[in-house]
Amino acid sequence: MVPSLLKAALAGGLVIGLAVELGRPAVARLELHDVARDAADLAEEQLPLDGRRSSQREARAVVESAGAELTGFEVDQRGRVEVRVARRVEPVVLDDLGRVRDWYDVEIDATSNGVPGT
């Protein structure tokens, strides 16, 4: 009876561990979506006041304070800001498995909402 219970506990632990390991990049994507949107909106607000370079610095500060990297910054013809934000999530268990390596490189695009001051 104990060996069956032990097997079930080990299998349950393995399933939970894999779920957590594979869920970390999904959680990072959700976090980065908010960070990218905040950075784009702030940059759009700053654009008419301080110009493109300062606006980009503000966006970079928001992104870096969240532990991510600003990898793209564009201003379209309507004055909306488009940003690309990236973060590498370090795998704990699956670090040697090449097929999932790209899953841990999280990149998100966001465009400002087009309503300065919101």
Side-chain angles (χ1 to χ4, degrees):
M1 182 148 198
V2 173
S4 297
L5 187 58
L6 182 59
K7 287 179 185 178
L10 289 174
L14 181 62
V15 168
I16 291 170
L18 282 174
V20 168
E21 181 75 3
L22 294 175
R24 289 174 59 232
V27 170
R29 280 178 173 69
L30 292 174
E31 290 173 354
L32 284 186
H33 176 73
D34 291 339
V35 169
R37 189 57 165 264
D38 291 345
D41 288 343
L42 178 63
E44 181 183 344
E45 288 177 22
Q46 296 297 318
L47 194 60
L49 304 172
D50 299 323
R52 180 186 166 98
R53 186 170 289 162
S54 180
S55 175
Q56 185 173 359
R57 273 193 302 258
E58 292 290 331
R60 186 176 313 281
V62 168
V63 170
E64 289 177 353
S65 72
E69 178 183 359
L70 183 68
T71 59
F73 183 91
E74 296 295 327
V75 179
D76 70 13
Q77 295 171 343
R78 296 176 296 165
R80 296 180 84 184
V81 175
E82 301 169 2
V83 298
R84 184 164 189 83
V85 177
R87 178 188 293 158
R88 170 85 176 143
V89 178
E90 292 300 324
V92 177
V93 177
L94 303 176
D95 57 345
D96 292 331
L97 194 58
R99 289 187 176 168
V100 298
R101 189 164 290 135
D102 290 343
W103 176 253
Y104 291 93
D105 292 325
V106 180
E107 288 188 283
I108 298 293
D109 294 322
T111 303
S112 59
N113 63 17
V115 184
T118 62

